[in-house]
Amino acid sequence: MKNQKKYVIAAALILALGAAVFINWRFSNGGVKTASKELGAATYVSRDAKATADEAETKKASAEEKLALMRTERAQAQDKALDSAKNILSLSDSSDDAKAEAVRQASVIERRIISQSNIENILAAKGFTDVLCFLSDSGCTIGVKKSEIEKDSPLIIKDVVMSQLDIAFNNIVIVQV
């Protein structure tokens, strides 16, 4: 019985660690291929203003697509963690300690989801059209479109995060998408 409880808790922790590693990998640009600059590579310049506006719109759409993809992946990771906690609770042979730990983990995930939503909504009210917030035990990462970053944007973003969470200023990371 004790061994089974250890395996269930270990599986839940491994799942949570896997989700954290995946999210970290996505934000460290591991999942997004970027074009590298090569010495002597040709750059085409267009005198047509419409062409440059179309290129800017394409880049804008790709940033929105990236944020939408990250939002979907975040929701899937959170759903997996919640499903794991529900499975532990539904097992009839789970010990009371395992069930209490599953309830605690589900509560932590729920608080993070609410905090992420609050931060995203407040930043939207401050003028950021598409923002994505990821919370972890060690800090907070905010994804914002490059086109929306201005001189005072980092201070505004960090102020909003600090007003919602008890996180140190240097543990808030802003990622430009």
Side-chain angles (χ1 to χ4, degrees), residues 9 14 17 41 72 78 114 138 157:
I9 291 174
I14 289 172
L17 179 64
T72 302
Q78 290 170 344
I114 291 170
S138 59
I157 293 169

Side-chain angles (χ1 to χ4, degrees), residues 151-165:
K151 186 176 182 179
D152 59 346
S153 295
L155 291 176
I156 293 170
I157 293 169
K158 289 186 176 194
D159 181 53
V160 168
V161 173
M162 291 175 64
S163 72
Q164 294 297 308
L165 303 168

Side-chain angles (χ1 to χ4, degrees), residues 101-169:
E101 179 64 21
V103 168
R104 188 192 65 76
Q105 288 179 355
S107 175
V108 167
I109 293 169
E110 180 184 10
R111 283 193 305 265
R112 283 186 182 169
I113 291 170
I114 291 170
S115 295
Q116 288 170 166
S117 177
N118 288 345
I119 291 169
E120 290 170 359
N121 290 335
I122 292 170
L123 288 173
K126 296 251 183 201
F128 296 96
T129 59
D130 201 4
V131 183
L132 191 59
C133 176
F134 287 95
L135 296 177
S136 67
D137 292 335
S138 59
C140 178
T141 303
I142 304 290
V144 182
K145 287 191 256 180
K146 286 181 184 178
S147 61
E148 295 183 352
I149 297 292
E150 296 176 3
K151 186 176 182 179
D152 59 346
S153 295
L155 291 176
I156 293 170
I157 293 169
K158 289 186 176 194
D159 181 53
V160 168
V161 173
M162 291 175 64
S163 72
Q164 294 297 308
L165 303 168
D166 188 25
I167 293 180
F169 188 81

Side-chain angles (χ1 to χ4, degrees), residues 53-67:
D54 290 342
E55 291 170 4
E57 190 64 32
T58 302
K59 288 181 183 180
K60 181 179 178 182
S62 66
E64 290 170 353
E65 290 170 0
K66 288 178 189 177
L67 286 169

Side-chain angles (χ1 to χ4, degrees), residues 8-80:
V8 170
I9 291 174
L13 291 175
I14 289 172
L15 181 64
L17 179 64
V21 168
F22 177 75
I23 290 170
N24 186 27
W25 173 71
R26 290 295 296 169
F27 270 120
S28 67
N29 210 12
V32 180
K33 294 181 180 179
T34 58
S36 62
K37 295 193 177 205
E38 297 177 2
L39 185 60
T43 303
Y44 298 100
V45 179
S46 174
R47 292 186 304 186
D48 186 13
K50 187 175 188 316
T52 56
D54 290 342
E55 291 170 4
E57 190 64 32
T58 302
K59 288 181 183 180
K60 181 179 178 182
S62 66
E64 290 170 353
E65 290 170 0
K66 288 178 189 177
L67 286 169
L69 177 65
M70 286 187 270
R71 187 172 282 114
T72 302
E73 290 171 353
R74 177 187 71 181
Q76 289 173 349
Q78 290 170 344
D79 289 344
K80 284 181 185 179

